[in-house]
Amino acid sequence: MKNLRLYINIPYCTNRCIFCDINNHLIDDDQREAFYKAIIKEIKSFDENYKYDYEVKSIYFGGGVPGSIRPNVIEEILSDIKEQFTISSDAEISLKILPGKLNDNYFPVYLDNGINRISIDYLTNSYFLHNFLGHKKTDNAMDRTLPVFLNHHFENVNFDLGIGLPGQNEANLDEEVHTLCDFHGAKEITLHPLRIEDNSGIKKLYDEHPEYLNNLNRFLPDIEKAYKYVKEKLEAREYIEYLPYCFGLKGFECLDYKLRKNNTEVIGIGPNAYSCIDGVTYSNTSDLNIYLENSDNFRLIATDIKTIQ
Ligand code: SF4
């Protein structure tokens, strides 16, 4: 049997962050139910040969923030995946969450369904920056105790840390690394450089207010410099950069990232998801309406189909 990755794209967020380039593809609240049904139909559309030819080593729920949808939907998706595919007994099952948007009743459902890696869309410790960037966060007790809880219950917990954020400097990067490593006990940290995408809200903001670029407090730092600075701090604490921008303590590396790096075959489920299977690569349409309207025949709406050698 060949190794397989499954990527489930849930483009749902309760926020619209001004720097995020997926904003244009997010589902609205009134599209959610239709979207859940379409995802299930897509999973069930794979024929039984996949069950015999492939063993799923990793299932990754990304998006968007899949931890913001009802956990029983995640449960149903996983149950259908288990019926449709052969899942390795040691498969990594990852799910992305956003702190401050969680209900603690969700976690038992995740655990019961085999989710063993949680990836926190953390961004920064700065309350001001969360608000400035539209990445809302509540400052409640659960936020502060959440990493302790997650570290205790899940095999691996990753923090996505933003670098190159407005006003970030060596002193507050020190503070970020200290909070994540020494306070939250992060096992894995993935760095996400803030890039000013053409269609993003932050590009519009800087175009409309060029004075922000001249204001030292809102200065966008050199990403390369910020990366090297954080890397040095993490390596001094024995984190290994096992892939570019991905750091983990020994034994806590994301299997999905490593399989991706090795070009393991992948099936992407959901709008805009990329697949590479049997020498053919294709993407699902990124147009959510087309995705929903064609949920009876997804193969007809695949784009960028290419055969590779
Ligand atoms: S940064 Fe995260 S929370 Fe914000 S819109 Fe993008 S995926 Fe959603």
Side-chain angles (χ1 to χ4, degrees):
M1 283 174 115
K2 293 191 280 179
N3 289 344
L4 182 67
R5 295 170 47 223
L6 289 180
Y7 179 82
I8 319 297
N9 190 36
I10 313 263
Y12 179 73
C13 286
T14 44
N15 301 337
R16 293 287 193 271
C17 303
I18 61 172
F19 57 90
C20 187
D21 59 349
I22 69 158
N23 272 336
N24 298 335
H25 307 292
L26 290 175
I27 40 178
D28 293 325
D29 281 335
D30 56 5
Q31 292 173 306
R32 276 198 285 173
E33 296 306 320
F35 174 76
Y36 301 154
K37 285 188 189 137
I39 283 270
I40 298 289
K41 276 192 188 173
E42 188 179 358
I43 292 166
K44 290 187 170 168
S45 71
F46 289 89
D47 68 48
E48 64 174 16
N49 289 337
Y50 286 93
K51 201 176 181 113
Y52 304 113
D53 294 347
Y54 290 96
E55 184 177 40
V56 176
K57 292 286 183 185
S58 159
I59 303 171
Y60 194 102
F61 285 88
V65 182
S68 297
I69 67 169
R70 291 197 316 268
N72 63 311
V73 176
I74 302 288
E75 181 170 45
E76 197 180 339
I77 291 173
L78 276 170
S79 147
D80 287 324
I81 287 175
K82 285 169 192 164
E83 255 176 47
Q84 209 71 27
F85 297 92
T86 301
I87 315 294
S88 167
S89 58
D90 58 355
E92 180 183 85
I93 308 182
S94 293
L95 179 117
K96 195 169 155 192
I97 65 168
L98 187 66
K101 297 287 176 192
L102 293 163
N103 180 324
D104 47 6
N105 297 330
Y106 287 16
F107 293 110
V109 182
Y110 298 158
L111 288 164
D112 283 352
N113 286 281
I115 290 172
N116 48 22
R117 179 178 179 273
I118 292 287
S119 183
I120 305 179
D121 191 351
Y122 175 83
L123 187 66
T124 170
N125 191 33
S126 160
Y127 191 65
F128 164 75
L129 274 180
H130 276 286
N131 281 307
F132 177 68
L133 297 170
H135 192 264
K136 293 274 185 299
K137 184 184 170 209
T138 55
D139 187 27
N140 60 23
M142 186 171 162
D143 260 3
R144 288 189 291 274
T145 57
L146 180 65
V148 179
F149 173 87
L150 294 178
N151 278 328
H152 183 72
H153 286 91
F154 292 88
E155 284 172 32
N156 198 3
V157 181
N158 170 69
F159 290 77
D160 285 342
L161 174 65
I163 55 168
L165 306 184
Q168 221 172 30
N169 55 31
E170 293 186 353
N172 50 41
L173 280 172
D174 264 344
E175 182 62 30
E176 296 283 14
V177 172
H178 169 66
T179 306
L180 287 183
C181 303
D182 310 329
F183 182 63
H184 290 326
K187 292 167 179 158
E188 213 193 317
I189 296 173
T190 308
L191 303 185
H192 288 265
L194 175 72
R195 307 214 184 271
I196 310 292
E197 307 289 348
D198 274 351
N199 292 325
S200 65
I202 198 164
K203 171 85 169 60
K204 206 166 155 239
L205 182 74
Y206 280 115
D207 285 348
E208 285 169 6
H209 298 280
E211 71 276 11
Y212 283 176
L213 289 172
N214 299 325
N215 177 338
L216 275 185
N217 290 331
R218 307 255 167 101
F219 173 60
L220 288 170
D222 177 339
I223 289 177
E224 195 55 25
K225 210 168 143 194
Y227 157 69
K228 284 188 180 146
Y229 190 77
V230 173
K231 174 179 160 80
E232 193 185 307
K233 296 286 161 195
L234 290 176
E235 287 178 344
R237 287 171 166 88
E238 302 195 343
Y239 288 78
I240 301 157
E241 188 175 25
Y242 62 95
L243 286 173
Y245 295 102
C246 303
F247 294 82
L249 291 174
K250 198 168 178 340
F252 294 102
E253 297 146 358
C254 175
L255 177 63
D256 189 78
Y257 293 172
K258 292 207 292 192
L259 293 171
R260 199 183 312 174
K261 180 78 181 161
N262 293 340
N263 298 323
T264 300
E265 288 180 272
V266 59
I267 290 178
I269 310 271
N272 209 22
Y274 164 88
S275 299
C276 177
I277 209 85
D278 254 345
V280 177
T281 67
Y282 63 91
S283 295
N284 284 353
T285 175
S286 60
D287 186 318
L288 193 59
N289 290 322
I290 297 180
Y291 179 82
L292 296 179
E293 282 160 17
N294 290 274
S295 61
D296 286 323
N297 198 340
F298 290 102
R299 303 300 167 269
L300 292 180
I301 51 168
T303 61
D304 298 328
I305 304 170
K306 290 188 188 87
T307 304
I308 49 174
Q309 300 305 319

